[in-house]
Amino acid sequence: MDIKDQKKEKENFLDRAFKFSIQVIELTDSLPSVRSCWVIADQLIRSATSIGANITEAKSASSKRDYINFYTHALKSANEAKYWLTLLKETKRVPSEKINPLIDEVEQLANILAASIITMKKNR
């Protein structure tokens, strides 16, 4: 894969993370207005939006180690977002058919991040 293709792939990945953030914000805006949902929504928004924010920050990292750190934080945020989405699903606050695509997407984002981190650590 040449540098142009790598850049395009990274932009596509960031775009997916951004779209995921938007979908999570839309989901949380539709949650029932009860205290438990407020708390979960706050945590979910923070973790979901942190994925793309950390990928963006990695673009201006000062070193490879710094770059890996931003990706590691993004991976942790993806895992946390999955937790909150699964909690909403299991407490039946959101129908499965509405939340399953988000869980699937965050799992894919986490897998890409994990694979990228492994590759970057091998190539250090």
Side-chain angles (χ1 to χ4, degrees):
M1 181 181 303
D2 67 6
I3 292 179
K4 199 174 190 179
D5 289 338
Q6 286 177 341
K7 186 176 181 183
K8 193 172 190 174
E9 191 172 292
K10 286 179 185 176
E11 287 173 3
N12 187 22
F13 179 55
L14 180 56
D15 187 49
R16 282 180 67 179
F18 186 80
K19 287 178 181 170
F20 174 73
S21 295
I22 291 170
Q23 291 171 328
V24 165
I25 290 167
E26 290 170 349
L27 172 77
T28 57
D29 284 348
S30 72
L31 290 174
S33 187
V34 294
R35 190 175 187 321
S36 60
C37 287
W38 298 340
V39 173
I40 294 169
D42 285 346
Q43 296 289 10
L44 177 57
I45 289 171
R46 282 188 184 97
S47 58
T49 57
S50 178
I51 299 166
N54 277 292
I55 294 167
T56 300
E57 283 293 319
K59 292 167 88 176
S60 57
S62 56
S63 66
K64 190 147 195 152
R65 184 180 187 165
D66 200 25
Y67 194 94
I68 293 169
N69 256 353
F70 282 117
Y71 264 54
T72 301
H73 287 295
L75 175 58
K76 289 178 180 184
S77 294
N79 289 331
E80 183 182 348
K82 181 183 174 190
Y83 173 83
W84 296 117
L85 287 167
T86 304
L87 189 60
L88 285 173
K89 178 182 173 180
E90 294 300 318
T91 57
K92 299 188 181 6
R93 299 289 192 224
V94 180
S96 292
E97 60 274 1
K98 192 173 181 182
I99 206 157
N100 283 343
L102 291 173
I103 293 171
D104 182 54
E105 179 64 3
V106 79
E107 285 175 344
Q108 289 180 38
L109 292 171
N111 289 341
I112 293 167
L113 286 162
S116 297
I117 292 165
I118 291 167
T119 301
M120 286 185 280
K121 285 183 175 182
K122 281 183 185 176
N123 295 335
R124 255 200 278 186

